[in-house]
Amino acid sequence: MKKLTVFFLTITFGYFLSAQTSFEFHGQRVNPGSKAHISVEISDGNQKTTLPITIFHGKEAGAVFGIVAGVHGYEYAPILAGQKLIDRIDTEQLKGTIILVQIANVESFLGRSPYVNPLDQKNLNRVFPGSAEGSITERIADYISQKVIARCDYFLDMHSGDAPEDLMPYCAYYHHDDKKEISEQGRKLAKGMGFDHIIIFNTTSKDYIKEGNPSLYCSAEAFKQGIPSLDIECGKLGIIEDDLVEKVVDAVISVGKELKMIEGVPLTSSGAIFIENRAYMSSSHTGFFYPLKSSGDYISKGMKIGYITDFFNRKLEDVYAKESGIILYMLGTPPVNEGETLVAIGQLD
């Protein structure tokens, strides 16, 4: 009888370890094995917007994985991937909880506005952690920081090339020399996302990661809160390419598998190229930019990669690469303003 009692207690204890309870979010209770679509109103008293958020709450207990799409509303691939994930994530089989912000910057999306929220002309990815008393964009950042990121064990911010950006697909993770454990967790997850190139956001010497300073970026805020943090950059020029949308979906599902939230074998990136250093080149003129290279091209220092003309097609400058490496993204549309980034080069060891 004693052995039976011990056996029964062991089984019962194991059950309670894996049993799932309801998940409370924004005043709504989400039952195990279900999903809920929640519209969160954000207002500064004069202007208002909505955050559409989907909660996937698994039948079994597990990690909380936060995902944000549409911080920039003209970056369509991750936004459309979020729509596809609504049907691709099976809450009956899911372990843990996924919080998916479908579009963080709805007004940018609806207004087809690159980079900024047209309501206050602020870039959401430059105002984190935000402010509960600030402008509408700052209040969006505050809500995501306090109500989404703070609930998470792992975090992913999904981007693509905005309207003028010719961008190659890659993923990234955050690193800090004094945050070795969460840095290594991020590296492991990034390797399982299936991208050929992985950027290391080394924040060891960055001011924005120091306490008391604004984190600025959405995923940097998560890392600052002690959460392993990832980025996806997949898609370009504000256009829709189905294979890149699917690449984002596959990457998210793979992270879920790596976290043991979703059954299956995660993708592997055993041959992925890691890039820690990036070089940026800005325009010295206003006018027309004519690129001679594309994202993903390998270039060498001193190579001609484009040229700039004035409004009467008179050449103002030939643009030469200041470093060797691979083009992560470059300006892919003709208009250029003085001081704008022309190209980002991933430097290869």
Side-chain angles (χ1 to χ4, degrees):
M1 179 63 71
K2 186 176 181 180
K3 289 183 178 180
L4 285 174
T5 302
V6 171
F7 175 77
F8 175 77
L9 289 173
T10 301
I11 296 298
T12 303
F13 183 65
Y15 169 77
F16 281 114
L17 277 179
S18 62
Q20 183 72 296
T21 58
S22 62
F23 188 79
E24 302 283 343
F25 189 87
H26 198 67
Q28 185 166 331
R29 177 176 294 178
V30 186
N31 292 324
S34 67
K35 62 189 169 192
H37 301 307
I38 300 171
S39 294
V40 177
E41 184 176 295
I42 306 290
S43 174
D44 66 359
N46 295 310
Q47 298 174 315
K48 64 181 180 180
T49 189
T50 299
L51 280 179
I53 299 174
T54 301
I55 307 294
F56 305 86
H57 193 43
K59 269 199 166 181
E60 294 185 47
V64 177
F65 180 25
I67 307 170
V68 171
V71 164
H72 295 133
Y74 214 107
E75 297 177 358
Y76 296 135
I79 294 172
L80 290 176
Q83 299 291 290
K84 287 180 175 291
L85 286 166
I86 291 173
D87 296 322
R88 294 281 284 275
I89 296 174
D90 182 0
T91 54
E92 288 287 325
Q93 302 298 321
L94 182 69
K95 296 179 181 178
T97 306
I98 296 175
I99 305 172
L100 171 58
V101 179
Q102 298 283 353
I103 312 175
N105 198 337
V106 167
E107 305 310 319
S108 169
F109 175 74
L110 294 178
R112 303 180 183 89
S113 174
Y115 303 121
V116 301
N117 184 339
L119 295 181
D120 59 6
Q121 295 301 311
K122 291 186 178 180
N123 185 336
L124 179 56
N125 214 32
R126 297 296 184 273
V127 301
F128 278 86
S131 169
E133 305 300 324
S135 72
I136 195 73
T137 298
E138 292 168 328
R139 292 181 189 227
I140 295 169
D142 176 73
Y143 187 91
I144 292 172
S145 297
Q146 302 301 323
K147 304 300 183 181
V148 177
I149 292 174
R151 300 284 300 273
C152 297
D153 300 307
Y154 304 91
F155 187 77
L156 168 65
D157 188 19
M158 306 197 298
H159 290 264
S160 65
D162 217 316
E165 295 174 343
D166 175 17
L167 177 140
M168 60 169 271
Y170 61 85
C171 69
Y173 72 95
Y174 278 77
H175 170 90
H176 194 288
D177 288 351
D178 296 333
K179 300 177 184 287
K180 294 188 184 299
E181 184 176 347
I182 64 171
S183 298
E184 185 54 37
Q185 287 178 307
R187 182 183 180 90
K188 182 180 179 182
L189 293 172
K191 286 177 68 175
M193 295 179 82
F195 287 88
D196 294 331
H197 296 84
I198 301 172
I199 309 297
I200 306 169
F201 292 158
N202 192 340
T203 65
T204 304
S205 61
K206 301 297 185 182
D207 288 338
Y208 64 78
I209 214 67
K210 297 176 182 176
E211 292 301 322
N213 291 342
S215 49
L216 302 178
Y217 312 105
C218 182
S219 46
E221 173 60 24
F223 191 67
K224 202 169 182 177
Q225 290 190 29
I227 301 166
S229 300
L230 307 163
D231 270 34
I232 285 176
E233 290 279 1
C234 188
K236 62 185 179 181
L237 296 168
I239 61 177
I240 299 165
E241 296 175 279
D242 291 340
D243 59 329
L244 296 182
V245 174
E246 284 298 322
K247 190 173 183 66
V248 176
V249 172
D250 291 343
V252 172
I253 296 296
S254 186
V255 172
K257 292 176 180 178
E258 187 70 53
L259 293 173
K260 309 300 183 186
M261 299 175 71
I262 297 172
E263 289 293 329
V265 179
L267 299 169
T268 57
S269 298
S270 56
I273 298 171
F274 285 82
I275 299 171
E276 183 169 355
N277 297 310
R278 290 162 289 162
Y280 295 88
M281 296 177 58
S282 299
S283 176
S284 301
H285 303 279
T286 295
F288 288 71
F289 176 60
Y290 294 88
L292 299 177
K293 297 292 180 180
S294 301
S295 64
D297 285 349
Y298 287 88
I299 57 175
S300 57
K301 186 176 180 178
M303 179 182 289
K304 185 176 176 180
I305 59 174
Y307 61 94
I308 299 171
T309 70
D310 66 11
F311 296 118
F312 300 101
N313 202 33
R314 295 175 296 207
K315 185 179 287 187
L316 298 174
E317 179 186 9
D318 287 318
V319 180
Y320 298 92
K322 71 176 186 180
E323 299 288 348
S324 299
I326 187 170
I327 296 176
L328 299 176
Y329 68 87
M330 72 186 308
L331 195 62
T333 55
V336 65
N337 293 287
E338 182 179 352
E340 281 186 330
T341 298
L342 290 174
V343 63
I345 303 169
Q347 297 172 259
L348 306 174
D349 295 330

